[in-house]
């Protein structure tokens, strides 16, 4: 397999999922090294590492110092079940909501890095841990996911940002559950982890950049799914 330049990490993840699903990579065994995957797929080592980190964040893989990365779970249900909840919301609705969130939450993350308190960071850590514990429980996972984003907006110290985002999230709870069934759990856990790390370091530029990438990657997954549906 050779990867094209669009959505490189997503294609690497798809390749890894295929190897798990067809039994080429077995639970308990070490997967190919980053260097081997880089050569095989014709991508950068950074892209391979980013894909592996998503599996590690989901508890499917484990990196062992001096040995390599091992597959410890073959449960791919954490990646979602496209179409499982029907089409209660149109793709247009979903895309418009994500457009709004990209604009608002990028700025909120930058401000939060300046103003967030240790108590606020503690609440983000708790919500992230609850997300990890509720992989497979869509309703509770989405609640924690939205609480994480609300907390960042609250930490921005700008109540207009907070109340605006809060209203959008409150009015789109069902849509977010549908979106969770579509894109799975890995995106939220991975990006929330690295966004939290940026906030802990008070790095507003990085937090804003990661928030934008987080929501853009979700939008890209929705677009890709829509294209597959139209081609079917």
């Amino acid at each position: 397999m050779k990867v094209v330049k669009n959505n490189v990490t997503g294609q690497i993840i798809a390749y890894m999922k295929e190897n798990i699903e067809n039994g080429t990579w077995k639970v308990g065994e070490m997967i190919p090294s980053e260097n081997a995957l880089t050569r095989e797929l014709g991508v950068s080592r950074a892209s391979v590492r980013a894909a592996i980190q998503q599996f590690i964040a989901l508890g499917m893989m484990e990196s062992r110092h001096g040995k390599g990365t091992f597959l410890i779970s073959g449960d791919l249900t954490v990646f979602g079940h496209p179409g499982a909840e029907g089409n209660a919301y149109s793709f247009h609705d979903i895309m418009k909501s994500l457009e709004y969130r990209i604009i608002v939450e990028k700025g909120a993350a930058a401000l939060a890095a300046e103003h967030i308190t240790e108590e606020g960071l503690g609440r983000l850590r708790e919500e992230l841990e609850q997300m990890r514990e509720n992989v497979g429980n869509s309703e509770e996972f989405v609640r924690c996911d939205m609480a994480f984003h609300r907390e960042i907006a609250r930490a921005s110290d700008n109540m207009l940002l907070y109340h605006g985002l809060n209203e959008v999230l409150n009015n789109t709870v069902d849509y977010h559950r549908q979106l969770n069934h579509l894109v799975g759990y890995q995106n939220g856990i991975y990006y929330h982890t690295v966004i939290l790390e940026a906030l802990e370091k008070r790095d507003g530029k990085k937090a804003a950049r990661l928030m934008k990438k987080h929501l853009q990657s979700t939008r890209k997954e929705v677009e890709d799914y829509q294209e597959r549906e139209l081609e079917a």
Side-chain angles (χ1 to χ4, degrees):
M1 171 185 171
K2 287 294 180 181
V3 171
V4 297
K5 295 305 178 184
N6 293 326
N7 193 20
V8 173
T9 301
Q11 292 176 72
I12 298 170
I13 289 172
Y15 169 80
M16 297 168 75
K17 287 167 62 179
E18 182 179 352
N19 278 280
I20 295 169
E21 189 171 25
N22 65 24
T24 300
W25 295 358
K26 295 179 173 57
V27 173
E29 295 182 354
M30 186 173 69
I31 70 168
S33 68
E34 290 181 4
N35 285 336
L37 289 170
T38 295
R39 289 193 299 270
E40 180 176 354
L41 300 176
V43 297
S44 70
R45 187 170 179 179
S47 294
V48 170
R49 185 177 296 119
I52 290 173
Q53 286 301 316
Q54 295 209 24
F55 284 88
I56 290 174
L58 288 167
M60 291 189 66
M61 292 183 182
E62 179 180 77
S63 180
R64 300 175 187 172
H65 183 68
K67 294 183 179 180
T69 302
F70 289 77
L71 181 66
I72 59 175
S73 171
D75 182 8
L76 292 170
T77 60
V78 295
F79 285 91
H81 303 279
E85 293 297 300
N87 292 304
Y89 289 82
S90 71
F91 282 107
H92 177 78
D93 294 334
I94 293 173
M95 297 302 286
K96 289 302 178 183
S97 174
L98 288 170
E99 285 175 7
Y100 171 87
R101 292 185 60 191
I102 288 168
I103 294 168
V104 170
E105 294 196 61
K106 176 185 174 184
L111 289 171
E114 297 179 30
H115 300 292
I116 196 165
T117 63
E118 285 303 316
E119 290 79 7
L121 288 170
R123 287 191 289 270
L124 288 179
R125 294 184 191 107
E126 290 175 7
E127 296 299 346
L128 178 56
E129 183 58 31
Q130 286 295 310
M131 287 174 68
R132 292 192 178 108
E133 291 179 2
N134 282 284
V135 168
N137 181 347
S138 181
E139 184 169 349
E140 186 62 17
F141 183 91
V142 168
R143 186 197 66 75
C144 298
D145 184 345
M146 296 171 79
F148 187 96
H149 285 269
R150 284 191 184 93
E151 187 59 41
I152 291 176
R154 189 197 310 274
S156 73
D157 199 32
N158 185 313
M159 288 298 100
L160 289 175
L161 285 177
Y162 171 73
H163 289 303
L165 179 63
N166 190 49
E167 182 175 356
V168 168
L169 294 178
N170 285 341
N171 290 330
T172 56
V173 174
D174 289 339
Y175 137 64
H176 280 87
R177 293 195 188 108
Q178 181 184 337
L179 187 60
N180 175 243
H181 281 277
L182 180 65
V183 304
Y185 300 86
Q186 81 282 2
N187 185 302
I189 290 177
Y190 171 72
Y191 277 106
H192 286 201
T193 300
V194 292
I195 289 168
L196 176 57
E197 289 172 356
L199 292 174
E200 289 171 333
K201 295 175 181 177
R202 312 291 174 171
D203 189 337
K205 289 183 178 179
K206 187 172 184 179
R209 184 172 69 252
L210 289 168
M211 180 65 78
K212 182 179 179 181
K213 288 181 67 176
H214 170 31
L215 297 171
Q216 284 182 330
S217 66
T218 300
R219 185 174 66 177
K220 183 63 167 62
E221 290 191 60
V222 174
E223 289 174 341
D224 289 346
Y225 176 67
Q226 183 181 28
E227 288 179 4
R228 291 194 299 272
E229 286 289 286
L230 292 173
E231 291 171 359

